[in-house]
Structures are given as C-alpha cells and as structure tokens.
Amino acid sequence: VYKRQVSSSSGNDANSGLSSDSPWKTFTHFASIRLGPGDKVLLKRGDTWNERLTVFANGAQGNYVYVGPYGSLNDPAPAIALQKDRDDICIVAQDLYYDGSNAMNIGLNYLHIDNLSLSDSRIGIYFRYLVSTGNKGVKVTNCTFTNMVNDSVMTAMQSDANISGELAMAKGNLDNFTTAYSPVGGGGG
C-alpha cells in the first residue's frame, strides 16, 4: 500500500513523504504515480496549496484510493485555493496515465476524496474519464467548495453567439490525447 503525506508548511519535495516527519511540500510527485487499492494521499490539516492536484487512481471495491486529511482535528481542513483563472481546477482525477512514452488506461474506480476545502477555481473536482467505461465507486464526502467561478456554458452559448466560441474552447489546460493515447500539447476538455 502506497501512503504519502504532504505539507505545504513543513514539507520538502526531497523528503520521502512517508510520514508526518518527512512530508512532501507540493503535489509534483503525484503526476507520475499510479494509485491502486488502499493507497492514500494525505494532506496536512491547516495547510493550503496554490496548485492543482492530479491523481491517477484505480482502487477496488472495499479498498478505495483515499485522498484526505491528516493531522490535528482542531486544525481546519486542508485547502487547495487557486487564482480563479480560466484553467484552474483544484483536483483532476483521470483514467488515462502517460508515463513519458506510453499512455495507459488505468481506469478510474473506487476513489474517495474526503474533507478538503477547495476554492477560487473554475472547477473544484474534475473526474476525467477519457477512455474507460463502466466506472464505479467514486465518492466525495465532507468537502467544501467556495468561490467557484463556473460558466453556465450551455445557457451562455445558446443565448449569445458572440461568446459561444470562447465558452466552447477547452478549459483546464489539460493534455489532449490522440486516438493512439499520445498526448498533444495544451487545452484539454
């Protein structure tokens, strides 16, 4: 079982991330980790990150991948607070994982996101199912979403032809993937 702790206030990305005495500082490492049954990503209570957390998580029934807090229950929930920019997404959970030379469909199942504070973003949590189907068991509990700046995309597109092109453009600055699962730059949807 893979368990990593992250603290923006006391962490260091050169640490192992294996305990509260040696947590990572940022979410950088998670961009290259495939999480499986029972794995945990633990964020320190009272800390705030100004960056996106991307997870590639495929748990199992009764053995979820867990993203949630650690630390004193007296401290506030861990927070991801962004800048309210067009591409801001606090958490991206995705089924397609790219290892630098190949893209693999790892699935996106049995992921539990718990007790986080997400704010100042276009999207709080984006479950991105690019190629997998029949996905199960994704749950979000006790999270707060504050100051989200989502567009009413369909309403705006239907009511104002001048802005429909802007609203229809991909947001999130996510990788686009070709049919062969090779990422191409920019955009995303």
Side-chain angles (χ1 to χ4, degrees):
V1 173
Y2 181 90
K3 179 176 107 176
R4 291 296 186 268
Q5 296 182 342
V6 189
S7 170
S8 65
S9 64
S10 63
N12 184 322
D13 284 337
N15 288 345
S16 68
L18 294 172
S19 72
S20 59
D21 293 331
S22 63
W24 288 335
K25 184 174 188 70
T26 70
F27 302 144
T28 304
H29 294 284
F30 296 110
S32 62
I33 296 171
R34 296 182 304 169
L35 300 167
D39 289 346
K40 293 177 176 40
V41 174
L42 302 174
L43 310 181
K44 186 177 180 193
R45 289 180 183 275
D47 282 4
T48 301
W49 290 264
N50 304 115
E51 62 181 305
R52 175 185 299 167
L53 172 60
T54 299
V55 293
F56 304 96
N58 195 23
Q61 188 172 8
N63 205 8
Y64 279 71
V65 171
Y66 179 77
V67 178
Y70 78 92
S72 172
L73 293 175
N74 294 326
D75 290 333
I80 299 175
L82 301 180
Q83 305 299 313
K84 295 189 276 185
D85 288 336
R86 163 195 170 120
D87 293 327
D88 282 350
I89 303 172
C90 292
I91 299 174
V92 174
Q94 184 170 303
D95 64 351
L96 196 58
Y97 171 80
Y98 184 69
D99 71 359
S101 59
N102 297 302
M104 297 163 275
N105 175 11
I106 63 165
L108 178 53
N109 295 284
Y110 300 103
L111 168 64
H112 182 189
I113 298 173
D114 179 47
N115 204 5
L116 302 177
S117 173
L118 308 173
S119 68
D120 302 311
S121 179
R122 179 174 292 272
I123 299 172
I125 301 172
Y126 182 22
F127 297 102
R128 191 175 190 214
Y129 297 94
L130 292 164
V131 294
S132 61
T133 60
N135 303 88
K136 300 177 183 175
V138 174
K139 62 184 177 178
V140 176
T141 56
N142 301 316
C143 290
T144 59
F145 299 84
T146 309
N147 206 15
M148 295 288 141
V149 288
N150 300 29
D151 301 344
S152 277
V153 176
M154 294 309 292
T155 302
M157 284 177 68
Q158 292 170 355
S159 65
D160 188 345
N162 293 328
I163 63 171
S164 66
E166 165 65 19
L167 290 174
M169 290 175 58
K171 295 174 177 65
N173 194 27
L174 302 168
D175 288 331
N176 287 324
F177 289 89
T178 66
T179 55
Y181 301 159
S182 299
V184 293

